[in-house]
């Protein structure tokens, strides 16, 4: 009875606002705060699209969060930028029902344009592109929106000092997705996404190499499965530190030189500060198409033909899969007789060597030439465009096969 009463009231409010729309336009968006990836890069791109006038301005654009907030510090920053004054619990209670009614009715006049609506939509006709895809290249043409106060900067520098890192040191953030994160989520079997996971210890040689160049390597993450078995004064396993905080999870991206990631939501924070990413042991074939310009180089995982035990190159993978395949779950691999395995420690090390060269000198002519060929083939044959470049070592190995 109570639900029916509230449902009736909120429908009345919705119809009143809809009638009012030609005179006073009011739009709504629930920000996907449940995951750090959804509440970082996507919001940065969205707000910069507004600044660049790609999205129409509206005097009354109302933003509110989900119940789960992955990073309270980042949400506090967004609230300040978005000028949100209402407490989260109240805003959710008042605005969420109206927003869901507008979604069900596909009333775009009452929805803030945002290319992630499909994730929580009741209507499949809504725009299904990802807001995290920087389709208008706003990240290249704007400055970061998130800034730190002097007090916050000093707090961050004090932490670095505690772990023997100075502001002048070169810092690399290492992000390796493992099974524990998804295992802790309800109603999501581990095996559906296990192809994205990587044993942290395959980064041993890469960390030793970076340390030899006096880089300070900080392993990021929360509630991880394994420690990296390495004793090196230039390595800090922040993921297992008692000093972890929502603030440091963001601040460390601002002070780092670049990021190494196997592909997970946390690496999206790098876009907030325009930091370059090396994607290594990467397995999400769909998301490769949607990388933004801050992804410097990509070295994918190994994909194996189960029948022949032959390693498949990127062309052969696409040849085996249907045109509109969805590899977000493991069963896509099994269905087409494809297995996967991790890169070796040495291969990951070589990817890091390439990334260091790329940051110092840019992409060399041979890597550009090889990537140009592969991009032309994929554009002409599959209508797929890659913004980022594959590591030269990855492409050379396939030329030999």
């Amino acid at each position: 009875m109570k639900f029916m009463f509230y449902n009736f009231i909120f429908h009345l409010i919705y119809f009143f606002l809809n009638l009012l729309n030609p005179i006073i336009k009011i739009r709504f968006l629930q920000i996907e705060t449940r995951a750090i990836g959804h509440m970082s890069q996507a919001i940065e791109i969205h707000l910069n699209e507004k600044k660049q006038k790609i999205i129409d301005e509206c005097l009354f654009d109302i933003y509110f969060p989900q119940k789960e907030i992955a990073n309270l510090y980042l949400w506090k920053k967004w609230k300040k930028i978005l000028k949100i004054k209402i407490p989260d619990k109240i805003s959710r209670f008042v605005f969420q029902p109206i927003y869901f009614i507008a979604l069900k009715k596909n009333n775009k006049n009452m929805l803030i344009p945002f290319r992630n609506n499909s994730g929580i939509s009741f209507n499949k006709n809504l725009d299904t592109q990802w807001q995290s895809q920087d389709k208008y290249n706003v990240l290249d043409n704007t400055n970061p929106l998130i800034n730190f106060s002097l007090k916050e900067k000093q707090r961050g520098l004090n932490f670095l000092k505690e772990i023997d890192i100075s502001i002048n040191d070169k810092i690399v953030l290492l992000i390796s997705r493992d099974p524990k994160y998804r295992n802790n989520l309800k109603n999501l079997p581990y095996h559906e996404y296990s192809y994205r996971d990587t044993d942290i210890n395959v980064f041993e040689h890469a960390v030793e190499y970076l340390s030899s160049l006096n880089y300070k390597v900080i392993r990021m993450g929360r509630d991880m499965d394994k420690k990296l078995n390495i004793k090196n004064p230039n390595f800090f396993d922040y993921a297992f530190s008692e000093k972890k905080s929502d603030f440091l999870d963001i601040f460390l991206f601002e002070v780092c030189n670049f990021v190494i990631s196997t592909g997970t939501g946390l690496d999206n924070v790098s876009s907030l500060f325009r930091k370059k990413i090396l994607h290594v042991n990467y397995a999400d074939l769909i998301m490769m198409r949607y990388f933004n310009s801050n992804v410097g180089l990509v070295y994918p995982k190994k994909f194996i033909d189960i029948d022949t035990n032959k390693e498949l190159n990127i062309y052969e993978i696409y040849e085996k899969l249907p045109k509109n395949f969805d590899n977000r779950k493991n069963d896509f691999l099994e269905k087409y007789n494809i297995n996967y395995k991790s890169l070796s420690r040495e291969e990951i090390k070589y990817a890091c060597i390439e990334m260091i060269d790329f940051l110092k000198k840019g992409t060399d002519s041979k890597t550009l030439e090889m990537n140009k060929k592969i991009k032309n083939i994929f554009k002409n044959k599959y209508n797929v465009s890659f913004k980022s470049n594959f590591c030269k070592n990855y492409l050379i190995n396939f030329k030999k096969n």
Side-chain angles (χ1 to χ4, degrees), residues 134-160:
D134 188 13
K135 63 186 292 187
Y136 301 109
N137 297 316
V138 295
L139 294 177
D140 294 333
N141 300 301
T142 58
N143 294 318
L145 297 174
I146 300 294
N147 294 301
F148 298 98
S149 67
L150 290 175
K151 187 176 180 180
E152 288 171 333
K153 286 180 180 178
Q154 192 57 54
R155 178 184 167 192
L157 293 176
N158 288 343
F159 166 75
L160 291 177

Side-chain angles (χ1 to χ4, degrees), residues 7 16 26 44 63 69 87 94 114 127 144-145 167 191 207 211 220-221 229 245 288 294 296 327 352 362 364 370 390:
N7 192 44
F16 173 73
I26 302 174
E44 178 79 12
Y63 295 84
I69 298 178
V94 175
F114 195 82
D127 190 350
L145 297 174
I167 189 59
H191 71 274
V207 171
S211 297
M220 301 295 290
N229 296 323
S245 70
M288 282 184 199
N294 67 314
N327 75 300
C352 291
D364 66 87
M370 295 171 73
F390 292 99

Side-chain angles (χ1 to χ4, degrees), residues 105-196:
K105 295 182 178 296
N106 195 16
N107 186 348
K108 294 188 177 181
N109 289 324
M110 289 181 64
L111 296 171
I112 297 172
F114 195 82
R115 297 187 299 278
N116 241 11
N117 280 345
S118 58
I120 49 175
S121 172
F122 298 92
N123 192 314
K124 292 183 179 179
N125 293 322
L126 283 171
D127 190 350
T128 57
Q129 286 183 295
W130 282 78
Q131 184 65 47
S132 289
Q133 182 187 4
D134 188 13
K135 63 186 292 187
Y136 301 109
N137 297 316
V138 295
L139 294 177
D140 294 333
N141 300 301
T142 58
N143 294 318
L145 297 174
I146 300 294
N147 294 301
F148 298 98
S149 67
L150 290 175
K151 187 176 180 180
E152 288 171 333
K153 286 180 180 178
Q154 192 57 54
R155 178 184 167 192
L157 293 176
N158 288 343
F159 166 75
L160 291 177
K161 188 176 180 180
E162 288 177 24
I163 61 172
D164 295 322
I165 297 177
S166 77
I167 189 59
N168 296 319
D169 283 328
K170 300 175 292 184
I171 299 171
V172 178
L173 301 187
L174 171 60
I175 306 170
S176 180
R177 188 190 183 284
D178 72 20
K180 195 169 183 182
Y181 168 69
R182 285 288 176 180
N183 278 347
N184 289 339
L185 296 184
K186 296 178 181 178
N187 304 318
L188 187 60
Y190 155 68
H191 71 274
E192 289 191 355
Y193 290 87
S194 62
Y195 69 92
R196 295 182 181 179

Side-chain angles (χ1 to χ4, degrees), residues 323-339:
K323 185 175 181 181
N324 296 313
F325 69 88
D326 183 351
N327 75 300
R328 286 173 292 179
K329 295 182 180 180
N330 271 9
D331 58 4
F332 103 97
L333 293 165
E334 299 166 6
K335 187 184 291 186
Y336 298 100
N337 289 327
I338 298 174
N339 203 348

Side-chain angles (χ1 to χ4, degrees), residues 272-294:
L272 300 184
F273 308 105
R274 314 302 190 261
K275 302 294 181 171
K276 292 292 185 183
I277 301 175
L278 165 63
H279 272 311
V280 66
N281 231 19
Y282 195 86
D284 197 326
L285 296 168
I286 287 181
M287 293 311 297
M288 282 184 199
R289 310 174 189 179
Y290 304 130
F291 285 156
N292 296 323
S293 59
N294 67 314

